[in-house]
Amino acid sequence: MSQQSDLSSHAGTSLQDINQSIQVPKNLGLWKSFLRFLGPGALVAVGYMDPGNWITSVQGGASYRYLLLSVILLSSLIAMQLQQMSGKLGIVTRSDLAQATAHYLPKPLRYLLWVIIELALMATDLAEVIGSGIALHLLFGWDLLFSILLTVCDVFLLLSLMKLGFRKIEAIVSTLIATILIIFVYLVFLSKPSLTGILQGYLPQLSVFDTQTTGSLSSRLTLSLGILGATVMPHNLYLHSSISQTRRVDYDDPKDIQQAVRFMTWDSNLQLSLAFVVNSLLLILGAALFFGHSEKIGAFSSMYHALETPSIAGSIASPFLATLFAVALLASGQNSTITGTLTSEIVMEGFLKLRMPAWLIRLVTRLFALLPVIVVALLFGDQETTLDNLLIYSQVFLSIALPFSIFPLVYLTSQKKIMGDYANAKWNSALGYGVAGLLTILNIILVVDMF
């Protein structure tokens, strides 16, 4: 373990206020020990059901019915593989992905990757800003631009919550996830989707690569990559590698390390399975209620109003359902704010070894995310359709940025000199490189097609 210890001492402690802060007494038994490790996966899963997913998934269902369910399934499987690598890197090396990248990769490459992940964080924040702002606008009737600017206060709300302790943060996030899940199970139950269509939708079809535009919004490939970018989010790889270290591990005991890696994997896969269900429900809702009306639900507010319009939502239409939708949207935006704040700190400290107050890092990131929203609002007015199209393309950018995080992650976790006995199996590394390579090719096709 000397290699890992050297890296840890060289890089410093990731999120030092919460690192190794949660004790896991020995001899608790299998399930009680696992419960102590349960939690970081929930914060990771939040990124897989943020407001960016809503537009791409619902629009995917409204435009192509159940076809793109296969993309959600594939994205979730890729996410499980990559998040396991990320969490394992953190536990075994005692450093996060940003620190490991900065330590092992050449300096010019390190700065290039830092710029890309910072842009990805801003794109992620853009979705949170627009989603939370529109939710406040719909629930309370406040001016849209004012509601969006009000999201700056999220920063200070989170910093207050952090004082409660990391386990409390995990509990709050889990509660908000449960709220989102319950609301969408109820909405989908009322919409009476086609079970046969759902099962067929999970079977991969080559037609998802079609670049021809259908309807008023996006091609199948654009929406597919938007779903992929909104589901497998680059910043989550950095986040998981850090918060997987919140549990105290006895590094002198190989069995304790092995247990930590095993329970991290269980936690991650369990929570990502819930995220897969939520994303599937979003697309199924779009297919069951809005298919044939894709041009009418291009914005969050359009979805909100569609749920209370009988000509679109049919007999289940009601203001109550629309309100539930807005509440779930607000919960999603607030959840994503929590993880975005943590990741901003991880990236800044890991790549640049620059320790700054968490509130300042978060405030700067949020203000940069607000800039394109304000510019678009000033040029085109605060039209929600325009803002939501901006949101969709921010998710496509996340897909483009994703390989720049996957390649370093797979490389680092494949090296025995770094990971020791926990290095990836050759088939796992090959699969990881294959995913990154395929994404790169599809992104090139998409960019060429767009221009």
Side-chain angles (χ1 to χ4, degrees), residues 369-388:
L370 281 170
L371 276 178
V373 178
I374 294 171
V375 169
V376 168
L378 290 175
L379 291 177
F380 303 102
D382 53 358
Q383 301 175 27
E384 291 160 47
T385 303
T386 304
L387 293 177
D388 286 322

Side-chain angles (χ1 to χ4, degrees), residues 54-73:
W54 291 44
I55 287 289
T56 52
S57 294
V58 175
Q59 188 65 41
S63 299
Y64 304 109
R65 212 152 196 180
Y66 302 105
L67 175 69
L68 300 186
L69 279 173
S70 59
V71 178
I72 291 178
L73 175 59

Side-chain angles (χ1 to χ4, degrees), residues 380-441:
F380 303 102
D382 53 358
Q383 301 175 27
E384 291 160 47
T385 303
T386 304
L387 293 177
D388 286 322
N389 283 338
L390 178 65
L391 190 153
I392 285 181
Y393 287 106
S394 76
Q395 303 309 297
V396 174
F397 173 77
L398 288 175
S399 177
I400 294 172
L402 185 55
F404 292 93
S405 296
I406 297 178
F407 278 118
L409 174 65
V410 178
Y411 169 76
L412 292 167
T413 53
S414 300
Q415 303 300 307
K416 276 196 169 291
K417 67 177 183 179
I418 299 174
M419 300 296 295
D421 294 336
Y422 293 93
N424 299 333
K426 289 184 178 180
W427 67 266
N428 200 12
S429 296
L431 191 59
Y433 283 128
V435 165
L438 179 61
L439 267 176
T440 302
I441 293 169

Side-chain angles (χ1 to χ4, degrees), residues 49-226:
M49 57 181 91
D50 78 332
N53 292 71
W54 291 44
I55 287 289
T56 52
S57 294
V58 175
Q59 188 65 41
S63 299
Y64 304 109
R65 212 152 196 180
Y66 302 105
L67 175 69
L68 300 186
L69 279 173
S70 59
V71 178
I72 291 178
L73 175 59
L74 179 62
S75 300
S76 297
L77 294 175
I78 291 172
M80 289 179 184
Q81 179 203 24
L82 296 177
Q83 294 298 164
Q84 194 274 342
M85 289 184 188
S86 173
K88 181 176 66 173
L89 176 72
I91 293 172
V92 174
T93 68
R94 303 170 70 178
S95 57
D96 59 56
L97 178 58
Q99 292 172 331
T101 300
H103 184 69
Y104 286 107
L105 299 187
K107 187 173 288 188
L109 184 56
R110 179 212 309 179
Y111 290 127
L112 172 64
L113 294 175
W114 172 68
V115 169
I116 291 172
I117 188 59
E118 285 289 359
L119 290 173
L121 274 170
M122 291 172 194
T124 303
D125 223 24
L126 186 67
E128 298 160 13
V129 163
I130 293 174
S132 295
I134 291 177
L136 291 172
H137 167 66
L138 294 172
L139 286 171
F140 303 108
W142 299 335
D143 177 76
L144 179 57
L145 190 55
F146 170 76
S147 299
I148 289 173
L149 293 174
L150 194 63
T151 61
V152 172
C153 298
D154 290 352
V155 179
F156 305 103
L157 174 63
L158 172 70
L159 293 172
S160 300
L161 292 175
M162 288 294 287
K163 295 178 181 179
L164 300 175
F166 197 67
R167 286 294 273 178
K168 296 290 194 306
I169 293 291
E170 291 173 347
I172 292 169
V173 167
S174 297
T175 301
L176 291 174
I177 289 175
T179 300
I180 297 167
L181 178 63
I182 290 168
I183 287 174
F184 277 105
V185 166
Y186 179 61
L187 290 174
V188 169
F189 173 76
L190 292 178
S191 69
K192 298 179 180 178
S194 165
L195 183 59
T196 303
I198 292 170
L199 295 176
Q200 290 177 344
Y202 285 121
L203 299 176
Q205 299 181 44
L206 289 176
S207 58
V208 300
F209 300 114
D210 186 3
T211 58
Q212 295 299 311
T213 301
T214 300
S216 62
L217 193 61
S218 306
S219 72
R220 294 175 185 179
L221 180 60
T222 302
L223 275 176
S224 295
L225 288 176

Side-chain angles (χ1 to χ4, degrees), residues 289 293 305-319:
L289 278 189
H293 302 282
H305 293 303
L307 284 169
E308 57 182 5
T309 305
S311 61
I312 297 177
S315 60
I316 72 168
S318 74

Side-chain angles (χ1 to χ4, degrees), residues 18-23 245-251:
I18 58 175
N19 193 289
Q20 301 283 305
S21 63
I22 299 172
Q23 284 191 323
Q245 300 176 58
T246 53
R247 273 55 181 175
R248 191 167 297 175
V249 177
D250 182 0
Y251 282 91

Side-chain angles (χ1 to χ4, degrees), residues 1-8 93 104 416-419:
M1 297 296 291
S2 59
Q3 290 280 352
Q4 294 88 315
S5 300
D6 289 345
L7 172 57
S8 178
T93 68
Y104 286 107
K416 276 196 169 291
K417 67 177 183 179
I418 299 174
M419 300 296 295

